[in-house]
Amino acid sequence: MRLAHGDVAVRPPRSHDAADWSQVRQRNAAWLQRWEGRPPSSVPAPWVARNSPAVFRATLRTQRREARAGRLLPFVLTVDDRLAGAVTVGGITRGAFDSAHVGYWVDEAVAGRGVMPTALALVLDHCFGQVGLHRVEANVRPENSPSLRVLDKLGFSAEGRHRRYLFIDEAWRDHLAYSLLVEDAPGGVLRALLGGGSPVGPA
Ligand SMILES: CC(C)(COP(=O)(O)OP(=O)(O)OC[C@H]1O[C@@H](n2cnc3c(N)ncnc32)[C@H](O)[C@@H]1OP(=O)(O)O)[C@@H](O)C(=O)NCCC(=O)NCCS
C-alpha cells in the first residue's frame, strides 16, 4: 500500500530501506535526538549504534509482529521517492475506544515545506477511513513549536498536559495532549489541509 500526494508519499517500511534509513538518521542526529525518548533504566548507546541498519531490521521485525496483531501501523515517508522520515501509528486499541497515537519525524533537509502535514493527513485519512479509528492522539513537548504547528495545521485540539510523560534528553518531560477525531474533518484531513473544508474546531 502506498498513499501519496504530490512528491510526498507514505508506505510500509521494507527491509531494503535499512541503509537509507540509517544514513538519514545518522545525518540528523542533532535534529532528532532531543525529541526522541529512550528507556530511563538503560545506559544510552551512542546515536550511531542506535540507528544502524541492523537496528532498523530488528525494529522492523517487531513492527511487523505488532502490525499483524493489529496494534501498530508503521510508515516510512518519502519525498521524490527518497526516504525522508517516518510516521508511526501506535497503541491501536479497538472496541469502544477505537483510538491510537501517532509519532513522526522528517529529515531536516526537507523541513519547513509542509511535508509532515501532508504525510500525516494521508495517514490520518487512512486511519479514519479503511482502519476505522475514531480518534488519533499526538503528544508533544511544549518546547517543540514546529510539531505543535503541524498539529495546528491539521486541526488537532489541545486536551491537556501529561506530567513527566516520556523520558527524553535525560529527563522526564511534560507533554501537551492533542487529538483529532473522525468528526473533526468530515470531508477528509488532506482535503481540509489543502483548503477544501476546514476542520471543525475544538468543542
Ligand atoms: C515536527 C516536524 C515533523 C515538522 O515537519 P515539517 O515537514 O517541517 O512541518 P512544516 O513544514 O509544516 O513546518 C512546521 C513548522 O516548523 C517550523 N520550521 C520551518 N522550517 C524549519 C526548519 N528548517 N527547521 C526547523 N523548523 C522549521 C515553522 O515554524 C513551521 O511552521 P510554518 O509552516 O507555519 O512556518 C519536524 O520539525 C521534525 O521532524 N522535527 C524533529 C522531530 C520531531 O520533533 N518530531 C515530533 C515529535 S512530537
Side-chain angles (χ1 to χ4, degrees):
M1 185 202 55
R2 181 176 182 273
L3 307 167
H5 177 76
D7 59 357
V8 176
V10 291
R11 60 162 174 79
R14 302 188 283 245
S15 48
H16 67 251
D17 290 322
D20 289 344
W21 178 88
S22 179
Q23 191 261 328
V24 174
R25 299 274 306 176
Q26 303 295 359
R27 188 156 43 75
N28 280 275
W31 169 249
L32 298 174
Q33 213 156 185
R34 66 200 163 126
W35 305 120
E36 296 200 357
R38 69 168 182 86
S41 51
S42 65
V43 177
W47 183 261
V48 174
R50 275 188 282 150
N51 290 280
S52 65
V55 165
F56 176 88
R57 284 188 287 268
T59 305
L60 183 57
R61 283 193 290 277
T62 308
Q63 287 181 332
R64 285 180 170 162
R65 197 170 54 242
E66 288 297 293
R68 277 195 298 274
R71 292 189 288 260
L72 188 82
L73 287 171
F75 295 94
V76 294
L77 181 169
T78 62
V79 177
D80 277 334
D81 290 325
R82 277 189 293 275
L83 197 151
V87 177
T88 307
V89 180
I92 298 172
T93 309
R94 308 310 305 239
F97 198 28
D98 267 343
S99 180
H101 51 74
V102 70
Y104 44 86
W105 62 271
V106 290
D107 184 348
E108 186 178 9
V110 300
R113 291 169 26 189
V115 167
M116 187 52 74
T118 302
L120 271 175
L122 290 165
V123 168
L124 289 162
D125 280 334
H126 178 66
C127 287
F128 292 141
Q130 204 170 329
V131 181
L133 294 182
H134 174 247
R135 168 191 181 85
V136 176
E137 301 178 355
N139 299 297
V140 179
R141 288 178 62 185
E143 303 86 351
N144 194 345
S145 38
S147 185
L148 294 172
R149 182 76 189 105
V150 168
L151 299 182
D152 184 47
K153 289 179 187 182
L154 292 167
F156 275 73
S157 292
E159 297 193 318
R161 190 179 187 104
H162 295 299
R163 295 178 308 136
R164 294 166 59 75
Y165 186 63
L166 285 176
F167 194 79
I168 297 181
D169 201 15
E170 302 312 305
W172 290 104
R173 307 289 182 179
D174 285 7
H175 279 63
L176 300 177
Y178 281 79
S179 73
L180 191 71
L181 309 181
V182 66
E183 299 94 325
D184 291 337
V189 184
L190 183 63
R191 187 160 159 263
L193 178 70
L194 298 175
S198 295
V200 176

